[in-house]
């Protein structure tokens, strides 16, 4: 572990600048979007009910502390004021959770200008677009808390190292050395 002068570490404690990434998704051509899609793709042969593959550049940044606080609003707690550690999670608004995560990290430029202005702005978006965007943002921010190791075989649990217990025969203990 590197030991640093805390006063000099301020720059590296920031959430970081947005990084440009390529986003790919598909959209169904509808009567409402056909003219916009023809203009975007420069393909005048598009027809309603056709799938169009799109690709564009988007900027993703790490969630800041404030954005993380906005994400936390998706959780509803039953607070135990007598013993705070016994508080229980009542519900999670998963739509708001994902929308808040996207609001906090998806940008239109390297300056960090937000792509989405509100939770409703995310809700109004095409599901295929949101799914592709969320996957990309999750790769950067690890929203799902996935292990970052490349090879899962290098992380073994003790349960996977021993044989399973049968109903008829209890698991035999390995002798201690």
């Amino acid at each position: 572990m590197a030991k640093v002068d805390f006063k000099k570490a301020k720059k590296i404690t920031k959430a970081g600048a947005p990084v440009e990434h390529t986003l790919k998704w598909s959209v169904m051509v509808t009567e409402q979007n056909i003219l916009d899609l023809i203009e975007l793709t420069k393909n005048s042969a598009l027809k309603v009910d056709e799938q169009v593959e799109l690709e564009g550049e988007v900027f993703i940044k790490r969630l800041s502390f404030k954005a993380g606080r906005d994400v936390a609003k998706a959780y509803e707690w039953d607070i135990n004021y007598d013993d705070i550690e016994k508080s229980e999670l009542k519900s999670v608004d998963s739509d708001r959770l994902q929308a808040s995560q996207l609001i906090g990290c998806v940008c239109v430029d390297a300056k960090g200008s937000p792509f989405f202005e509100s939770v409703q702005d995310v809700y109004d978006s095409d599901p295929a677009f949101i799914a592709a965007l969320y996957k990309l943002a999750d790769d950067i921010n690890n929203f799902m808390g996935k292990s970052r190791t490349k090879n899962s075989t290098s992380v073994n649990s003790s349960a996977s190292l021993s044989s399973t217990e049968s109903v008829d025969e209890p698991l035999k203990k390995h002798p201690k050395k």
Side-chain angles (χ1 to χ4, degrees), residues 39-57:
E39 183 181 339
L40 280 171
T41 62
K42 311 228 183 311
N43 179 358
S44 59
L46 290 178
K47 295 185 179 13
V48 172
D49 293 333
E50 208 171 31
Q51 283 288 118
V52 177
E53 298 297 318
L54 299 175
E55 179 177 312
E57 299 308 307

Side-chain angles (χ1 to χ4, degrees), residues 15 30 44-45 61 68 77 95 110 126 134 141 149 160 163 165 169:
T30 65
S44 59
K61 66 180 181 177
W77 290 91
D95 292 340
D126 181 85
Y134 190 81
N141 284 282
T149 57
S160 66
S163 59
E165 184 175 341
E169 183 180 337

Side-chain angles (χ1 to χ4, degrees), residues 104-121:
C105 69
V106 178
C107 307
V108 294
D109 56 31
K111 295 177 195 168
S113 305
F115 180 80
F116 297 107
E117 298 298 323
S118 68
V119 169
Q120 191 60 47
D121 202 14

Side-chain angles (χ1 to χ4, degrees), residues 4 8 13 17 20 26 60-61 65 78 90-91 105 113-114 126 130 140 142 162 164:
V4 297
K8 294 179 181 178
T13 63
E20 189 172 26
S26 63
I60 306 290
K61 66 180 181 177
F65 175 78
D78 185 10
K90 286 186 355 184
S91 66
C105 69
S113 305
D126 181 85
I130 293 299
I140 307 304
N142 196 20
S162 60
T164 56

